[in-house]
Amino acid sequence: MKHYQLTPVEANCPICYSRNAQLLWSVDSEQASRHYVSKEAEPQRFKELAAHISNLWQQKTCDVVRCDDCGFCYSYPYTAGDDKFYDLAYERSGYPTWKWEHQLTYDALTDKRDFTLLEIGAGDGAFIRRITPELTSQTNVLCTEYSNYGRGQIQQLGLNCLAVDIRSKQFEPFKEHFDVICMFQVLEHMDRLDDLFQRLNYLTRKQASLFISVPNPKCIEFSELNGGLLDMPPNHIGRWNREGFEKLGERWGWFVEDHAIEENTFVSKAELFLKYHFWREGQHPGTPANRISRIKNHNLSKLMTIVCIGLYTVSDLPKLSRLRAVDLGFSQWVHLKRKASLEPE
Ligand SMILES: [Zn+2]
């Protein structure tokens, strides 16, 4: 894909409710399934996943659109993946270690002590194990995490960790309980944003802090328009930008205290893009990348992958040089602060 389609479509922006949008691209459930599972290598899982994606969408196709009014890009239908989707789509892989957004959040909290904190989607606890007991005690912290492995790791630290959505009934006892809520690389997977913010308001104290990290939309756009991976629903369903945080925040009584885009080295950006190019090519039958993905011999497959990526490095050189731009980092981070009062000032 070299360009987005940019034809006017009617959709429903989950942030500003505008019905006007431009179509970026659309997929059917089989194309979406190819993003996650190799049809050639695992035909049964591929078929089950495609059927399940259709069920989630309640139709065969899904559009990815950009809101005319606030610029938010989202999948339409705006439907998140469920447990079954993630079971079918992903093999369990490693968890991130200490990340850029963890450090920014740590820095923002470093003068505070004994705050109550909720981390939503805490992985294996990479962030929280640095926060407690240094900045606050373990009894002040609650985590959520769906993966059994991640939850086990967090519980081994002596922390309370639940495998539930914060919008569920189990969170009702925590009314106005939290000073800090963290959601690292979670929000881009979530639908029902108004329900989410209604619950965040219920759970937080006045002047609470909400720390969020999500992918950088410019990095996604670069990948999509240069032969890299598509930002495929229903895994990622929203592409956030600063304006989106401001708009949704305004409706629910939060303001943007701070916002940043990650700066990554040229080499790390180029490496990621070349991998994305290889994986994207691998989704198309008949391509060298697709054939390589079917090689059963691990060493041979690895060697051929390196050769193939080496060839891309040469052919992609003009594109790669554009990755020197500083605004093409992987992630963005935002610190939202809850207003002391929801009344107009
Ligand atoms: Zn909008």
Side-chain angles (χ1 to χ4, degrees), residues 12-18 20 67-72 74 247:
N12 192 3
C13 177
I15 289 192
C16 76
Y17 307 149
S18 168
N20 303 318
C67 174
D68 282 347
D69 291 287
C70 74
F72 186 63
Y74 57 98
K247 280 249 151 94

Side-chain angles (χ1 to χ4, degrees), residues 265-315:
T265 62
F266 168 71
V267 171
S268 59
K269 285 186 281 192
E271 272 175 4
L272 187 72
F273 172 72
L274 288 164
K275 266 193 242 168
Y276 279 8
H277 185 171
F278 180 75
W279 290 333
R280 174 77 179 136
E281 284 278 317
Q283 292 167 19
H284 303 297
T287 58
N290 183 272
R291 284 194 212 106
I292 292 167
S293 70
R294 289 150 69 183
I295 296 174
K296 295 245 171 358
N297 180 316
H298 178 72
N299 287 337
L300 182 63
S301 158
K302 205 171 164 185
L303 177 70
M304 294 305 287
T305 302
I306 292 168
V307 171
C308 190
I309 288 182
L311 292 172
Y312 289 163
T313 311
V314 178
S315 65

